[in-house]
């Protein structure tokens, strides 16, 4: 079946502009995660959505970052007033939930964001 | 603070050898363990998951879990140059939906 999809695959923006990154999870996966990976670095957790529950925003680095998930499916990560340090690959992952347990995460191809 | 530690490497092995990748974790309440492979410039790809002590085999890959010693390892038999990648270990506690990832171990399989 179809995997996690993300768009755009690449985004170049000027410092100070707002950007929106989109994630479409695997059908039936109720858990959705956003991560950031800077060049040569590990995965940095940003935000987690589970069904209709309030998201876990504990990883968002500043109030310039926000995310929403509409209809329990597609998610959008928005970065306002982008800064050069926001340049990274933004990864989305989804997983299924069963009996209150989340299972393996499946990652999308990522969006490479470059802020000039 | 939950920690997952991996040797950054690179781990260099000859083609056909067994590659052994190790991961230790700090949270004794951890219940779910995952190994991902990440090629340069690509996103992480799930290799396998393990939830119980002991070994779990899938093709050339074997995951080994020892909760008492708080480590999980990944063995790759008959290593191929195409296995050259960074391997990420992820650990999740029973009460959390968010896994903690290690920084990854770089594996190089040379012909």
């Amino acid at each position: 079946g179809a995997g996690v999809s993300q768009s755009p695959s690449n985004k170049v923006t000027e410092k100070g502009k707002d950007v929106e990154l989109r994630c479409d999870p695997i059908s039936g996966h109720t858990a959705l995660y956003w991560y950031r990976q800077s060049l040569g670095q590990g995965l940095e957790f940003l935000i987690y959505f589970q069904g209709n529950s309030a998201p876990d925003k504990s990883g968002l680095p500043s109030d310039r970052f926000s995310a929403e998930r509409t209809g329990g499916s597609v998610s959008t990560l928005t970065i306002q007033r982008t800064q050069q340090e926001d340049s990274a690959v933004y990864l989305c992952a989804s997983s299924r939930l069963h009996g209150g347990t989340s299972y393996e995460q499946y990652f999308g191809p990522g969006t490479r964001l470059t802020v000039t | 603070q939950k920690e997952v530690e991996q040797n950054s490497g690179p781990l260099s092995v000859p083609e056909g050898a067994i590659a052994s990748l190790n991961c230790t974790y700090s949270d004794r309440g951890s219940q779910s363990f995952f190994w991902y492979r990440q090629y340069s410039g690509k996103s992480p790809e799930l290799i396998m998951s393990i939830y119980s002590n002991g070994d779990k085999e899938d093709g050339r890959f074997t995951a080994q879990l020892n909760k008492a010693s708080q480590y999980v390892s990944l063995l790759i038999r008959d290593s191929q140059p195409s296995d050259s990648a960074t391997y990420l270990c992820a650990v999740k506690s029973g009460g959390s939906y968010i896994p903690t990832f290690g920084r990854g171990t770089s594996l190089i399989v040379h012909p």
Side-chain angles (χ1 to χ4, degrees), chain A residues 17-19 64-65 77-82 86 90 113:
Chain A
K17 300 285 189 181
D18 297 352
V19 295
R64 296 186 296 105
F65 289 73
L77 177 69
T78 300
I79 309 173
Q80 296 178 311
R81 304 180 303 280
T82 52
D86 299 334
Y90 289 80
L113 175 66

Side-chain angles (χ1 to χ4, degrees), chain A residues 55-104:
Chain A
D56 182 331
K57 304 179 182 180
S58 60
L60 294 179
S62 78
D63 58 8
R64 296 186 296 105
F65 289 73
S66 63
E68 64 177 18
R69 189 178 185 190
T70 55
S73 182
V74 172
S75 177
T76 302
L77 177 69
T78 300
I79 309 173
Q80 296 178 311
R81 304 180 303 280
T82 52
Q83 304 295 312
Q84 288 187 330
E85 60 263 28
D86 299 334
S87 296
V89 175
Y90 289 80
L91 293 162
C92 176
S94 70
S95 70
R96 61 186 176 94
L97 292 175
H98 180 72
T101 299
S102 61
Y103 291 89
E104 301 89 347

Side-chain angles (χ1 to χ4, degrees), chain A residues 4 8 15-16 21-22 24 51-52 56 66 72 75 91-92 94 110 116:
Chain A
V4 178
K15 177 182 174 181
L21 312 179
R22 175 188 167 106
D24 199 343
N52 295 319
D56 182 331
S66 63
S75 177
L91 293 162
C92 176
S94 70
T116 62

Side-chain angles (χ1 to χ4, degrees), chain B residues 14-102:
Chain B
E15 183 175 357
I18 296 176
S20 178
L21 305 162
N22 299 312
C23 172
T24 60
Y25 58 94
S26 62
D27 183 7
R28 284 197 170 275
S30 299
Q31 295 187 358
S32 305
F33 307 85
F34 310 96
W35 281 101
Y36 291 86
R37 175 175 62 197
Q38 186 173 26
Y39 291 115
S40 181
K42 301 295 186 182
S43 62
E45 171 191 9
L46 178 71
I47 298 175
M48 46 193 315
S49 57
I50 186 167
Y51 303 95
S52 303
N53 274 329
D55 295 0
K56 180 180 178 181
E57 185 175 319
D58 184 359
R60 295 187 296 113
F61 299 97
T62 298
Q64 299 177 318
L65 175 61
N66 185 322
K67 290 185 178 181
S69 300
Q70 294 177 248
Y71 81 79
V72 55
S73 61
L74 180 70
L75 302 179
I76 306 175
R77 290 183 301 280
D78 188 24
S79 295
Q80 301 296 310
S82 58
D83 294 326
S84 299
T86 296
Y87 289 79
L88 304 174
C89 170
V91 176
K92 191 172 72 65
S93 301
S96 173
Y97 295 102
I98 303 166
T100 300
F101 280 82

Side-chain angles (χ1 to χ4, degrees), chain A residues 8-65:
Chain A
S9 55
N10 281 284
K11 177 71 175 179
V12 180
T13 190
E14 293 180 351
K15 177 182 174 181
K17 300 285 189 181
D18 297 352
V19 295
E20 285 190 353
L21 312 179
R22 175 188 167 106
C23 171
D24 199 343
I26 292 172
S27 177
H29 281 193
T30 55
L32 187 148
Y33 307 75
W34 283 99
Y35 293 89
R36 177 169 71 175
Q37 189 172 37
S38 301
L39 188 62
Q41 301 300 309
L43 291 174
E44 177 186 3
F45 166 74
L46 298 178
I47 189 169
Y48 163 69
F49 292 91
Q50 177 197 338
N52 295 319
S53 302
D56 182 331
K57 304 179 182 180
S58 60
L60 294 179
S62 78
D63 58 8
R64 296 186 296 105
F65 289 73

